[in-house]
Amino acid sequence: DTGVSQDPRHKITKRGQNVTFRCDPISEHNRLYWYRQTLGQGPEFLTYFQNEAQLEKSRLLSDRFSAERPKGSFSTLEIQRTEQGDSAMYLCASPGQGNYGYTFGSGTRLTVV
Amino acid sequence: RKEVEQDPGPFNVPEGATVAFNCTYSNSASQSFFWYRQDCRKEPKLLMSVYSSGNEDGRFTAQLNRASQYISLLIRDSKLSDSATYLCVVNLGSNTGKLIFGQGTTLQVKP
């Protein structure tokens, strides 16, 4: 149990469909991060929230992507009109205290066919 | 140039060997540094933080050289269970707290 929960663990979708992922971070952590990881690469930053405010978005986050954190607790990441290039592991993270890095959720593995 | 660069490997070593991984980062303003371990199809997990004074955790030793913008990880007496991908990670220390990951170095320990 990492303390960060993500749902679903796996998602297979047809190209052009919309998908939504959910992240429940460690409770009472104000910040929440979304990353994407493709095969053979390290995780790449997508966006982050401070409470309910989305404060930074990567250029990787095209206009087909939208993220929300409506009550400053859980977050959702939606991808509209999925493309095969969206196939990746989508990771959510809560920051640690001080100099202790992040705790990641188990991720949602998306396959677009 | 990538912000954090690692040799992807793979490094294939026998059990009991000592193996070292290196990493360079481009932003001299980087403030904190980590090594993460990632098993196949799993999420990254924090292995250890890295300090200029060097730090050790059992068989693992991490070192930071700020002048050269270079980070290292040494694994002594490697075990089969050490087989994984090791990610070098940098925090720029900005207000975002954003972490920048290297590509990862794959280690395979053979019996």
Side-chain angles (χ1 to χ4, degrees), chain B residues 65-78:
Chain B
N65 184 321
R66 284 188 181 271
S68 302
Q69 295 180 202
Y70 173 95
I71 304 164
S72 65
L73 177 68
L74 183 76
I75 306 176
R76 291 180 300 278
D77 187 24
S78 51

Side-chain angles (χ1 to χ4, degrees), chain A residues 31 33 35 37 56 102, chain B residues 32 36 38 95-96 98-99:
Chain A
R31 290 188 176 183
Y33 300 85
Y35 279 73
Q37 186 175 23
E56 184 174 340
Y102 293 172
Chain B
S32 51
Y36 274 70
Q38 186 170 28
N95 291 336
T96 67
K98 182 170 63 178
L99 296 185

